[in-house]
């Protein structure tokens, strides 16, 4: 499959807010050591799979828009990536052993992105 025929996928990296809150309270020495370990594992993963990543962005404050208006909200998304792969299964398989999954209760969701027609 060529780059022109690869499909695009949105990858969401999630951690429950309660886990993030607990992590912020962790002893800084322990937290720093764990973060360095994860950064090294992430670097290794990127060396093996980085070519599929188009972009990665860090999540921030969230706003919810409804018919009633705009409000502040929270969700479990901490990062998102746009990736290219031959199939949905191939994209998901690449993330099976991702270092993000070392975080308790974390998950990764991969969603097929199709072109929006008629706009």
């Amino acid at each position: 499959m060529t780059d022109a025929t690869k499909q695009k996928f949105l990858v969401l990296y999630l951690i429950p807010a309660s886990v993030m809150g607990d992590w912020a309270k962790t002893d800084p020495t322990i937290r720093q050591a764990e973060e360095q370990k994860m950064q090294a594992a992430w670097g290794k993963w990127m060396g093996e799979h980085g070519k599929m990543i188009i972009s990665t962005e860090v999540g921030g404050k969230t706003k919810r828009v409804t018919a009633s208006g705009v409000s502040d909200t929270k969700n479990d998304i901490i990062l998102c990536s746009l990736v290219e792969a031959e199939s949905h299964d191939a994209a998901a398989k690449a993330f099976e052993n991702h270092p993000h999954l070392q975080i308790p209760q974390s998950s990764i969701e991969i969603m097929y992105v199709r072109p929006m027609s008629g706009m």
Side-chain angles (χ1 to χ4, degrees):
M1 206 171 233
T2 66
D3 285 345
T5 58
K6 287 186 178 177
Q7 300 171 1
K8 290 184 181 172
F9 301 90
L10 178 64
V11 179
L12 302 174
Y13 305 78
L14 300 103
I15 302 173
S18 61
V19 172
M20 290 300 292
D22 291 345
W23 182 245
K25 297 174 191 171
T26 302
D27 178 285
T29 306
I30 294 170
R31 188 173 65 232
Q32 184 178 18
E34 289 298 315
E35 287 173 353
Q36 287 175 347
K37 180 181 168 186
M38 185 173 292
Q39 286 173 355
W42 199 298
K44 183 177 186 245
W45 186 92
M46 285 296 290
E48 296 169 1
H49 302 284
K51 290 181 181 178
M52 71 186 298
I53 307 286
I54 297 170
S55 69
T56 297
E57 305 295 333
V58 177
K61 290 184 178 181
T62 305
K63 298 281 186 183
R64 173 174 287 145
V65 181
T66 67
S68 300
V70 178
S71 61
D72 292 332
T73 191
K74 292 184 179 183
N75 61 40
D76 295 342
I77 302 168
I78 64 160
L79 294 169
C80 65
S81 294
L82 190 60
V83 303
E84 288 184 322
E86 294 178 7
S87 69
H88 204 166
D89 287 336
K93 188 155 185 67
F95 286 88
E96 279 184 323
N97 296 309
H98 192 280
H100 175 76
L101 299 174
Q102 296 172 13
I103 301 167
Q105 301 178 44
S106 66
S107 61
I108 299 174
E109 296 180 6
I110 297 101
M111 179 173 38
Y112 174 64
V113 176
R114 60 184 174 85
M116 191 170 186
S117 60
M119 300 284 305

